[in-house]
Amino acid sequence: ARTKAVAAGHRQIEFVVASDEAFPDCGVFDAAIGRYILHHQSDPVAMIRRAATAVRQGGVVAFHEPAGHVSSHTLPIIGLHASLERCLNSVFNAMLPHREVGGRLIACFEEADLPTPHLIWESIAGGHNSPLWRLLAMTYQSMLPHIARLELASAGAGDPGTPAPPPDAAAAAGRAPNFSKPQSCARVIR
């Protein structure tokens, strides 16, 4: 981010990487932005509150989280996709304390004593040859050690070493669109 800012001529921008516990020691910022952070927190509201205290009045507080309580899907249902999604949901449900936080961002911001945030909720959609299939396969492959560690049943989706499971004939023949898990983005001006 620092390199891109300088290349774009924005030399006045400072980036600080710190743990959330260090926020108050870092000074006051124009913005605090978190992406895929809150679902890992034991207390998402406290995290939002800590981020807001590091932002000046008139600054921006924003968080982008997946809506983990909503599954990605295809229409019509494709067996391979459904198997992978079920397996990944089991892993993430076991590993993430607040997987559903993307669906609760308004309440979380309000409980953190911030105004009701502006919220965007969106999904990516693609056809049978969409990169979403590769993303699903890569996510599954990267989670295989956790599947084994948690002793969860694998998706039974063929060889996990293949780069991407191809959509089966039904996906291609039925022109089944693939809809990603929704993403929720909330922001407020302090």
Side-chain angles (χ1 to χ4, degrees), residues 73-127:
H73 63 278
T74 60
L75 287 175
I77 294 171
I78 304 302
L80 173 61
H81 182 278
S83 294
L84 290 169
E85 182 69 13
R86 265 191 311 276
C87 183
L88 290 172
N89 282 339
S90 296
V91 172
F92 293 134
N93 286 339
M95 293 178 62
L96 299 172
H98 289 282
R99 188 155 183 248
E100 79 301 333
V101 75
R104 295 187 307 108
L105 286 178
I106 289 174
C108 289
F109 271 64
E110 290 174 347
E111 289 172 35
D113 300 319
L114 292 170
T116 300
H118 172 76
L119 189 71
I120 296 172
W121 177 277
E122 61 187 2
S123 292
I124 299 168

